[in-house]
Amino acid sequence: MALSRGLRCCQRVFSWIPVIIITSVGLWSYYAYVFELCLFTITKSFEKVAYLLVFHICFGMFSWTYWKAIFTPPASPFKKFQLSYIDKERYEMEERPDAQKQILVDIAKNLPIFTRAASGAVRFCDHCQVLKPDRCHHCSICETCVLKMDHHCPWVNNCVGFSNYKFFLLFLSYSMLYCIFIGATVFQYFIKFWVGDLPNGRTKFHVLFLMFVALMFFVSLMFLFGYHCWLVAKNRSTLEAFSAPVFVTGPDRNGFNVGLKRNLEQVFGEDKRLWFIPVCTSQGNGHYFPLKSQSESRNPLLANEEGWDEEEDESEEGCLDLDPSVTIEMEEKLGHFVEL
């Protein structure tokens, strides 16, 4: 037991190493750009002021989004998705797989669950003892079920999911912008140092290395950001891109694809003025999502749903606060997709 706790403690400590690396590179780039380049190398006052102003805006947004991606906790299912004591006892006492499967179906019939396991059973997490909402997966590193889990990212030491997916995308975009700005403004001085037009010294090392680091990170981020832009356009998570979600009608990679505009709004919200600011504007509460094949008729399974998320919504923060208008719209559009 003590050994297991020690290993988990070491794992938690080492898991911060990638974050420390990114933070160290960011702080060094700040010093190299502000002091070595702008204050010690650039002589024109207007150029110096303009560079410093734009740089601090880029650096501020980069730091803000990175902070939000790291320290926004992954959202977990509401208590309503947990098995009650009676249901848990009934489920554990039953030894027949078919009977266990039916017990989960009976429990889930009043919940907005539309996806299934590969076997066709209602998805259930034995570790967390919860019925998994659509697009929810268990993270063995965070040791919890994460709503709309995309992946566990070591560079932010956090699960990327419903609660912080927007922040993660903004972090990638502002990191690219940060690298582009540094590369574009450092390039002329990089050439001057390279050909020997400027004197050798400590500044030369910082400027040359700054250019290489900006280019290296930009290339890496460009492919990652492009991939996630494609995922958002298709309304898929990284996990769903590798393994299609299974509905009662079978696997369907495009099951949650409701069109480019609505796909974007699910992540960034309807107010386009807030799209590029790291504040929570994602639609819904992460427990159910509009479906591609849904109709406009109201799903009778959700007729009594108004009460099941009231207590949980009040205790949750950020993206888990559900706009009533969004709730009504989702309920009206969930349709006839599932026949339990």
Side-chain angles (χ1 to χ4, degrees):
M1 182 66 71
L3 179 61
S4 177
R5 291 178 180 176
L7 290 175
R8 284 199 299 269
C9 182
C10 291
Q11 183 183 13
R12 292 192 185 98
V13 172
F14 284 116
S15 65
W16 285 101
I17 291 178
V19 175
I20 294 173
I21 293 174
I22 296 296
T23 304
S24 300
V25 172
L27 292 176
W28 165 79
S29 68
Y30 182 90
Y31 166 79
Y33 193 92
V34 172
F35 292 94
E36 297 294 345
L37 178 67
C38 291
L39 298 184
F40 301 152
T41 303
I42 299 176
T43 57
K44 298 178 181 179
S45 298
F46 176 78
E47 182 181 9
K48 183 182 300 187
V49 171
Y51 281 9
L52 285 173
L53 178 62
V54 179
F55 172 82
H56 279 91
I57 294 175
C58 293
F59 183 79
M61 296 306 296
F62 159 76
S63 302
W64 188 7
T65 54
Y66 192 43
W67 176 275
K68 295 286 284 187
I70 294 173
F71 294 106
T72 301
S76 299
F78 289 157
K79 293 181 180 179
K80 195 66 177 180
F81 287 80
Q82 296 177 351
L83 266 63
S84 66
Y85 177 80
I86 296 176
D87 290 332
K88 181 180 177 181
E89 187 177 59
R90 183 161 60 102
Y91 177 80
E92 293 177 346
M93 292 292 292
E94 183 59 64
E95 297 181 354
R96 296 170 298 171
D98 291 342
Q100 286 184 327
K101 179 178 177 180
Q102 186 58 45
I103 290 173
L104 294 180
V105 170
D106 293 338
I107 298 172
K109 65 182 179 180
N110 291 322
L111 295 174
I113 297 177
F114 301 94
T115 54
R116 296 291 184 266
S119 63
V122 173
R123 299 188 310 134
F124 178 72
C125 179
D126 290 313
H127 183 85
C128 299
Q129 293 290 295
V130 298
L131 297 174
K132 293 181 181 179
D134 293 345
R135 316 184 82 173
C136 175
H137 297 274
H138 182 83
C139 177
S140 58
I141 300 176
C142 295
E143 297 182 345
T144 187
C145 284
V146 179
L147 296 178
K148 196 188 176 184
M149 180 177 173
D150 188 89
H151 69 289
H152 185 92
C153 180
W155 298 107
V156 299
N157 190 29
N158 198 4
C159 257
V160 178
F162 174 78
S163 61
N164 63 351
Y165 189 55
K166 176 189 174 181
F167 305 146
F168 178 74
L169 291 175
L170 291 180
F171 163 64
L172 294 181
S173 61
Y174 283 117
S175 298
M176 287 181 57
L177 182 63
Y178 185 62
C179 292
I180 291 172
F181 176 77
I182 288 178
T185 54
V186 169
F187 182 72
Q188 60 174 317
Y189 297 97
F190 170 81
I191 297 297
K192 291 180 180 180
F193 275 115
W194 189 265
V195 299
D197 289 346
L198 293 175
N200 292 331
R202 182 183 62 185
T203 302
K204 178 179 180 179
F205 163 77
H206 285 289
V207 171
L208 295 179
F209 197 57
L210 195 61
M211 186 68 190
F212 283 120
V213 170
L215 180 62
M216 179 184 66
F217 274 91
F218 171 75
V219 172
S220 302
L221 290 167
M222 179 179 63
F223 288 105
L224 182 60
F225 181 69
Y227 176 66
H228 277 279
C229 286
W230 177 79
L231 290 177
V232 172
K234 297 292 185 180
N235 204 346
R236 299 176 191 169
S237 66
T238 298
L239 295 176
E240 291 166 352
F242 285 96
S243 179
V246 179
F247 299 88
V248 292
T249 55
D252 185 2
R253 292 187 185 276
N254 293 311
F256 297 105
N257 187 353
V258 290
L260 179 60
K261 181 177 181 292
R262 294 181 64 194
N263 292 343
L264 289 172
E265 289 177 349
Q266 282 190 30
V267 177
F268 296 101
E270 295 183 359
D271 191 348
K272 294 182 175 59
R273 296 172 298 178
L274 300 177
W275 278 19
F276 301 102
I277 301 176
V279 294
C280 186
T281 55
S282 301
Q283 290 184 338
N285 61 4
H287 289 77
Y288 54 89
F289 303 88
L291 305 175
K292 180 188 68 173
S293 57
Q294 66 197 2
S295 69
E296 294 296 328
S297 61
R298 183 180 178 88
N299 192 335
L301 295 178
L302 300 180
N304 62 346
E305 187 215 350
E306 294 180 357
W308 71 259
D309 61 346
E310 288 181 356
E311 295 180 359
E312 290 82 358
D313 280 348
E314 292 176 355
S315 63
E316 299 294 333
E317 298 180 353
C319 289
L320 293 183
D321 292 332
L322 184 60
D323 189 329
S325 62
V326 176
T327 305
I328 295 173
E329 179 185 358
M330 287 186 173
E331 289 180 358
E332 290 177 346
K333 294 183 178 180
L334 282 171
H336 64 280
F337 188 78
V338 172
E339 296 294 338
L340 292 176

